[in-house]
Amino acid sequence: MPTAIVLVVVAVLVVAGVLAGVAVDRRRRARLRDRFGPEYDRAVEATGSRRAAEQELDARARRFADLEIKPVPGEVQQQYARRWMRIQEEFVDRPEAAVRDADELVTALMRDRGYPDEGYEQLLRDLSVRHGRALEQYRAALEVRAMTTDKSATTEQLRGAMMHYRTLFDDLLADSEPTGTRRS
């Protein structure tokens, strides 16, 4: 009789452990989905595995914590906002130039914030940690920007690119909380 009781207790503890592990895994997944937005699904698709994607996203977050991403001071924010307004006004007469200038302005803002220039893919991974919801828009804007080199973008595509750049621009400008500090 005591052996049966021990087996039941062990079985209950094993089931409880498994259920606790599943609950922790679900909370972690929900946290990552919330933090990375659509980038979570993109990572799952790219890696072919939810577990691999989650490890990749965790690695991105750890790397990001070591970056020196800084807020933009109020006066600099106003300067950026004024530059954006001029670019929007430029769109009426020179839409392709405005898209190019919007790209350059967003790039300058990322650089001023402290995002490292380690190539396109790494930049997207770094941006995904804090700006995952705006990243698809940025990718779309970059596609249209590439079309401006051979002048194949329509005015409507250029207008869309401006709106997409604006989404990331606003997100970068509004995100003024200091993030990670570089560890020595």
Side-chain angles (χ1 to χ4, degrees), residues 38-73:
E39 198 62 19
Y40 178 92
D41 293 327
R42 181 182 270 278
V44 170
E45 185 177 317
T47 62
S49 154
R50 192 176 326 185
R51 184 170 305 284
E54 290 172 358
Q55 289 172 347
E56 160 70 17
L57 296 174
D58 281 335
R60 291 182 193 186
R62 284 191 306 276
R63 172 187 156 81
F64 189 84
D66 288 339
L67 298 178
E68 291 183 32
I69 306 300
K70 12 181 213 301
V72 178

Side-chain angles (χ1 to χ4, degrees), residues 63-137:
R63 172 187 156 81
F64 189 84
D66 288 339
L67 298 178
E68 291 183 32
I69 306 300
K70 12 181 213 301
V72 178
E75 177 57 35
V76 176
Q77 282 185 6
Q78 292 171 3
Q79 290 171 1
Y80 271 108
R82 285 190 296 269
R83 287 174 63 190
W84 182 264
M85 293 304 293
R86 285 193 299 271
I87 290 169
Q88 280 185 258
E89 292 167 0
E90 174 185 23
F91 184 84
V92 173
D93 295 321
R94 300 179 37 210
E96 288 178 342
V99 167
R100 182 193 66 240
D101 292 347
D103 179 61
E104 290 171 3
L105 184 64
V106 168
T107 300
L109 179 54
M110 287 186 283
R111 187 176 41 252
D112 286 354
R113 293 285 317 271
Y115 283 91
D117 184 13
E118 297 175 6
Y120 172 73
E121 290 300 325
Q122 185 58 55
L123 175 63
L124 292 178
R125 285 190 292 273
D126 291 341
L127 284 169
S128 73
V129 177
R130 290 290 290 267
H131 307 285
R133 299 195 187 286
L135 213 47
E136 280 305 307
Q137 306 235 359

Side-chain angles (χ1 to χ4, degrees), residues 137-158:
Q137 306 235 359
Y138 182 53
R139 283 186 178 102
L142 290 172
E143 286 177 20
V144 174
R145 167 71 170 97
M147 294 168 65
T148 64
T149 58
D150 63 2
K151 301 192 182 301
S152 63
T154 67
T155 303
E156 195 55 39
Q157 288 171 318
L158 294 168

Side-chain angles (χ1 to χ4, degrees), residues 1-21:
M1 194 66 119
T3 304
I5 293 173
V6 168
L7 288 175
V8 168
V9 168
V10 168
V12 167
L13 290 174
V14 168
V15 169
V18 168
L19 290 176

